[in-house]
Amino acid sequence: YNKKPIVSFGEGINYMTDTTNEYFKWDSIVRVVEIFDAYYIYVSDNKAIILPKHAVDYKERQKFDDFVINLGIHKKYNY
């Protein structure tokens, strides 16, 4: 069992675990909520991918942050 999801970013987000493989285009992402240790990537008003920050290396995380901020779908909370 692989506890760490595999995530890749490009024209969208490809999110893979041992039990799922999902792809979402950027224009289908409703919002991204960032908290201390994770991102909640909402693909609808009531469904989110929970992405632990440790699952993405630092440089990719910085690119992701910049990208979603520029899209205007990023919210950050300090808890």
Side-chain angles (χ1 to χ4, degrees):
Y1 177 74
N2 179 11
K3 293 184 179 186
K4 185 175 178 180
I6 298 169
V7 180
S8 60
F9 308 108
E11 295 295 314
I13 299 172
N14 193 23
Y15 182 82
M16 295 172 283
T17 67
D18 287 343
T19 59
T20 189
N21 184 1
E22 297 183 276
Y23 179 79
F24 302 96
K25 289 189 173 201
W26 286 114
D27 61 1
S28 68
I29 305 297
V30 176
R31 68 185 168 278
V32 176
V33 175
E34 180 183 354
I35 62 171
F36 174 71
D37 61 351
Y39 295 100
Y40 288 72
I41 303 168
Y42 285 85
V43 296
S44 72
D45 286 335
N46 60 359
K47 180 181 178 183
I49 298 168
I50 301 171
L51 177 61
K53 287 185 176 179
H54 67 81
V56 183
D57 72 48
Y58 181 76
K59 286 184 180 182
E60 282 297 307
R61 203 165 65 222
Q62 290 296 98
K63 285 191 233 175
F64 176 73
D65 284 344
D66 292 343
F67 186 76
V68 295
I69 288 168
N70 287 332
L71 285 178
I73 59 173
H74 180 264
K75 301 237 186 251
K76 184 173 183 175
Y77 298 97
N78 294 319
Y79 55 81

